[in-house]
């Protein structure tokens, strides 16, 4: 019993020292969301948030998980959930633990949800991610981060979110905070079983008004073949990268479905984290760059 108590105290002490939780908008969250519809609240369920499933996030925040042996890279983690909720274990804390093993400082973003009833569901979440990019770079010295190696990873709706933050070039519409808000997008992107960029009728072309920009950040795409239209999304996005001669890598696994995240499926898709780590290393994001 004494040994168990000491172990629990040690784990609690370690966890408390490892995590830093910060509000994104201490001066007040910008914008005004519409009230969730009955269809949305019915889909979310009466419990709302519970273990590994968080929603009704009105005060978005980040949790910083520093690596034991940081190499200077940082990755902002954006869980999925259809803009209804956030899958904060399978696509959140599990991802942060993997990134820490690579020496990467992981930043878990709890962006505003639900926003599924908004005219543009990703608008406020993108604002939250853009502010997070600025905060990470603003506090780079404190968190032992190279501000030129700040990436993003997103899953499902979270991948849609990081895609917009990586590829859209529209002006920011939220109030800027001098010294914090950074005009740059992410330095690299990991896009995991995401969608929302193809035309609804013709899946061989992008929806009207969207194109991968010529300065798109290096991107790693991963998806399962048996995941609806998401392999088409990843394929078209990768081809756009190829035509622009931008750095990219695409992995399509035969099985895995949707939402595999960091859980074990007993299919080859379980190896995607190893491959993603190899890609980040091959691109130089895991190695300290000379100043």
């Amino acid at each position: 019993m004494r040994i168990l108590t000491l172990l629990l105290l040690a784990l609690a002490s370690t966890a408390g020292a490892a995590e830093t939780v910060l509000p994104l908008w201490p001066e007040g969250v910008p914008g005004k969301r519409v009230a969730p519809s009955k269809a949305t609240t019915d889909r979310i369920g009466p419990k709302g948030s519970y273990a590994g499933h968080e929603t009704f996030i009105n005060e978005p925040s980040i949790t910083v998980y520093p690596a034991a042996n940081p190499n200077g890279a940082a990755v902002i983690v954006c869980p999925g959930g259809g803009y209804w909720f956030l899958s904060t274990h399978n696509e959140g804390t599990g991802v942060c633990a993997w990134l820490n093993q690579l020496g990467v400082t992981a930043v878990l973003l709890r962006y505003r949800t639900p926003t599924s009833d908004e005219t543009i569901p990703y608008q406020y979440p993108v604002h939250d991610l853009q502010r997070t990019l600025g905060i990470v770079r603003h506090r780079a010295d404190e968190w032992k981060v190279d501000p030129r190696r700040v990436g993003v990873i997103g899953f499902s709706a979270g991948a849609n979110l990081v895609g917009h933050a990586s590829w859209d070039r529209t002006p920011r519409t939220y109030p800027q905070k001098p010294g914090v808000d950074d005009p740059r997008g992410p330095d690299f992107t990991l896009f995991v079983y995401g969608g929302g960029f193809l035309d609804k009728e013709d899946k061989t072309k992008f929806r009207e008004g969207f194109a991968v920009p010529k300065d798109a950040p290096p991107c790693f795409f991963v998806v399962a073949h048996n995941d609806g239209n998401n392999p088409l999304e990843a394929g078209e996005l990768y081809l756009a990268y190829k035509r622009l001669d931008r750095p990219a890598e695409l992995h399509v696994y035969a099985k895995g479905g949707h939402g595999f995240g960091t859980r074990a499926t007993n299919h080859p898709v379980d190896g995607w984290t190893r491959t993603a780590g190899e890609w980040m290393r091959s691109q130089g994001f895991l190695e300290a760059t000379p100043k």
Side-chain angles (χ1 to χ4, degrees):
M1 184 67 181
R2 181 174 179 273
I3 294 175
L4 177 59
T5 301
L6 290 173
L7 177 60
L8 291 174
L9 287 172
L11 289 173
S13 175
T14 301
E19 301 173 19
T20 300
V21 181
L22 294 173
L24 286 183
W25 310 98
E27 66 279 13
V29 181
K32 183 176 178 58
R33 284 188 288 166
V34 300
S37 65
K38 185 178 184 301
T40 295
T41 55
D42 286 347
R43 179 156 188 162
I44 290 171
K47 291 184 179 180
S49 297
Y50 48 88
H53 182 293
E54 298 183 27
T55 190
F56 298 120
I57 299 173
N58 299 310
E59 301 286 340
S61 65
I62 57 174
T63 305
V64 182
Y65 296 87
N69 297 295
N71 56 33
V75 171
I76 301 165
V77 179
C78 300
Y83 293 119
W84 288 292
F85 64 93
L86 303 185
S87 178
T88 48
H89 282 185
N90 183 45
E91 299 170 350
T93 53
V95 181
C96 293
W98 159 63
L99 289 167
N100 282 172
Q101 291 174 358
L102 298 177
V104 176
T105 295
V107 181
L108 178 58
L109 170 59
R110 287 177 171 85
Y111 54 87
R112 279 171 274 185
T113 54
T115 56
S116 48
D117 294 307
E118 299 287 347
T119 303
I120 305 175
Y122 57 82
Q123 180 180 11
Y124 290 135
V126 167
H127 291 175
D128 294 339
L129 178 51
Q130 290 172 331
R131 169 55 63 90
T132 302
L133 284 162
I135 290 173
V136 173
R137 289 180 173 132
H138 180 67
R139 304 184 70 161
D141 289 343
E142 176 185 349
W143 292 344
K144 299 179 181 179
V145 167
D146 180 348
R148 297 165 295 181
R149 290 188 287 141
V150 180
V152 293
I153 183 169
F155 300 78
S156 192
N160 177 266
L161 164 57
V162 303
H164 283 290
S166 299
W167 305 318
D168 290 349
R169 294 295 180 266
T170 54
R172 299 187 185 185
T173 57
Y174 62 83
Q176 304 290 287
K177 189 173 183 179
V180 173
D181 285 297
D182 188 307
R184 293 177 293 161
D187 296 307
F188 59 97
T189 302
L190 293 93
F191 187 90
V192 188
Y193 48 76
F197 296 96
L198 297 184
D199 185 87
K200 289 185 177 181
E201 303 299 328
D202 185 353
K203 298 302 181 184
T204 66
K205 63 182 183 181
F206 293 124
R207 58 174 172 73
E208 185 176 356
F210 174 78
V212 174
K214 294 180 180 180
D215 62 346
C219 191
F220 179 90
F221 299 96
V222 61
V223 68
H225 179 76
N226 61 337
D227 183 15
N229 288 321
N230 284 335
L232 299 177
E233 296 266 359
E236 291 296 332
L237 288 163
Y238 170 77
L239 289 174
Y241 264 76
K242 180 62 180 175
R243 294 186 183 105
L244 292 170
D245 196 27
R246 296 297 298 153
E249 188 165 311
L250 167 64
H251 292 265
V252 181
Y253 291 88
K255 295 182 179 180
H258 190 75
F260 49 81
T262 52
R263 62 181 173 83
T265 67
N266 297 319
H267 292 300
V269 73
D270 292 349
W272 79 267
T273 52
R274 175 183 56 79
T275 307
E278 291 171 349
W279 176 79
M280 284 188 282
R281 191 172 303 280
S282 74
Q283 297 296 306
F285 299 124
L286 303 186
E287 305 298 333
T289 52
K291 295 184 178 180

